[in-house]
Amino acid sequence: VFDFAVAPDGESLAYSQHDDQGGISLWSVKRDGGSPKLLLDCGADWCVNPAFSPDGLKLAYARRLSGGVERSPPGVPRVWPLDLDSLQTDRLYADPNIGGSEPAWSPDGRYLAFFDGINNGLRLANLQTHQDSLLPSEMGMTARWSPDGLSLYFTNIVSLEAFAYENVYRYAIPTRQTSPAFGPDAQPMDYSPVAFSADGQWLVVGIREITGSPARQMWLMHTDGSQRSQITQDALVNA
């Protein structure tokens, strides 16, 4: 198994598994491990990073087309939606200059965010208007949606003369503005991607002091960075 995603109702999961043609295909299985089902035979292509739509009716995934030569590396990843009823699939963008990996649906299903490695940024696609935005990011990973779907949190590198670190940024959907998630005057810290509580009031994030231990520790805080509480304290373990 390469990777997997849990269905919104928790009753099944989709996973990508190596096949006998040198590629990676998509399967589903019930939560108890029973009734495995081939969703998409990808042949020699690599189909990875499955992500369920909020209603559980679609699956977005990253597909890397086979180079056609044995043992040759697959092509650039691009996002493909899969209809789980008809099992029909096609690429999200026909433009060869748009890449895509690690897709993430917004909670209302209107948007799909993914990393566009060709353009070095997070691409935010509006599935209703077919418009998109590109948020500069060099980290190669997708963003985290706030539970209300109004914000997208992601990390990007900040380079200073003496050092570089990863900061957390917030993209506000209503205003289309990007700003430091924890305020412009926050002390420079090295952050990991965030994880939200179900009610959207709190988040957990890995933090490392710039001049301190190389290991990040987990912290609990409000979404604006206030009321911080350290959860882990093992300097030898990167949380």
Side-chain angles (χ1 to χ4, degrees):
V1 173
F2 186 85
D3 55 6
F4 68 94
V6 179
D9 63 5
E11 293 301 318
S12 64
L13 59 85
Y15 61 97
S16 50
Q17 177 176 287
H18 292 273
D19 56 40
D20 58 7
Q21 300 178 67
I24 301 176
S25 295
L26 293 174
W27 290 73
S28 68
V29 68
K30 297 297 184 182
R31 64 180 296 169
D32 62 0
S35 304
K37 175 185 177 183
L38 178 63
L39 294 176
L40 189 63
D41 183 351
C42 297
D45 296 347
W46 287 19
C47 297
V48 298
N49 306 152
F52 282 95
S53 60
D55 58 13
L57 300 179
K58 293 183 176 65
L59 198 69
Y61 65 97
R63 187 165 191 155
R64 302 179 64 183
L65 299 181
S66 167
V69 179
E70 186 177 358
R71 296 184 181 178
S72 65
V76 172
R78 306 182 195 281
V79 172
W80 291 51
L82 170 67
D83 186 292
L84 292 174
D85 183 28
S86 66
L87 298 183
Q88 296 297 308
T89 186
D90 198 359
R91 66 182 62 189
L92 183 63
Y93 286 90
D95 188 343
N97 296 313
I98 295 178
S101 60
E102 300 188 53
W105 298 83
S106 64
D108 60 8
R110 292 177 56 196
Y111 295 91
L112 197 57
F114 55 90
F115 181 71
D116 182 349
I118 295 178
N119 296 285
N120 290 324
L122 291 168
R123 191 169 293 276
L124 181 62
N126 187 320
L127 302 179
Q128 296 181 344
T129 65
H130 304 290
Q131 297 176 327
D132 64 14
S133 304
L134 186 68
L135 314 179
S137 176
E138 304 172 40
M139 296 311 301
M141 60 183 67
T142 193
R144 305 291 189 262
W145 287 96
S146 60
D148 60 12
L150 297 179
S151 301
L152 200 61
Y153 286 68
F154 63 98
T155 59
N156 199 12
I157 296 176
V158 178
S159 297
L160 303 178
E161 290 186 5
F163 53 84
Y165 63 97
E166 295 178 36
N167 198 14
V168 179
Y169 293 88
R170 174 181 175 267
Y171 178 78
I173 298 297
T175 63
R176 299 183 180 179
Q177 297 296 315
T178 301
S179 59
F182 307 135
D185 301 323
Q187 180 182 354
M189 294 281 191
D190 192 50
Y191 291 93
S192 70
V194 305
F196 283 93
S197 62
D199 61 8
Q201 300 299 309
W202 297 85
L203 58 80
V204 172
V205 61
I207 301 178
R208 181 184 70 86
E209 293 186 6
I210 302 299
T211 58
S213 165
R216 288 191 180 111
Q217 301 303 315
M218 301 304 294
W219 287 71
L220 175 70
M221 63 184 71
H222 276 306
T223 54
D224 62 0
S226 64
Q227 296 192 34
R228 300 189 175 196
S229 175
Q230 188 170 353
I231 299 174
T232 64
Q233 302 187 40
D234 190 339
L236 300 178
V237 176
N238 190 40

